[in-house]
Amino acid sequence: MSFSTSMTRLIAVLAVGSAAALSAQAQDASTPATPRADQREAKQQARIAQGAASGTLTARETRRLEREQNRINQAETNAKSDGTVTKHERRRLHHMQDAASKDIHHAKHNDKSASSPGN
């Protein structure tokens, strides 16, 4: 293999790698990342699912908490829609998640359970 063939292959590999990296950056730039919000959402969904499965949440409480999570998801989608999540939008999402976390805690630790009558 000649020097020019090796150099051509190296340049081709570097070009493909650079194109892939630029494509990933462009994709990431078009959809702002909210890793903390996504992590909290996953944990809260798991807490709701665990409460429903264990019976500490009634069906009504579970539906209410799920609706609250859906509102947070919609707010996150709206915040990302213009390609930038501002500090104010991020703060609002965290505030909504704080409130949802408290709601989950209160619902799981109240006197109601899935097996109690009148739920």
Side-chain angles (χ1 to χ4, degrees), residues 32-108:
T34 52
R36 263 184 76 196
D38 295 338
Q39 235 175 8
R40 286 189 72 184
E41 176 189 346
K43 285 182 180 182
Q44 289 178 350
Q45 287 288 81
R47 289 172 59 204
I48 294 168
Q50 185 277 329
S54 70
T56 57
L57 290 175
T58 65
R60 184 176 185 177
E61 289 170 332
T62 302
R63 282 191 306 272
R64 185 179 57 79
L65 294 170
E66 289 289 345
R67 278 194 309 270
E68 186 174 23
Q69 289 298 308
N70 288 337
R71 283 191 295 274
I72 295 169
N73 289 337
Q74 188 59 51
E76 183 179 3
T77 300
N78 291 343
K80 290 179 175 182
S81 67
D82 63 355
T84 303
V85 180
T86 65
K87 183 186 275 189
H88 175 74
E89 290 168 330
R90 218 173 277 279
R91 190 177 297 131
R92 180 173 178 253
L93 290 171
H94 289 301
H95 176 76
M96 292 174 77
Q97 288 176 324
D98 289 342
S101 181
K102 288 177 186 175
D103 291 343
I104 294 167
H105 177 82
H106 290 302
K108 287 179 75 171

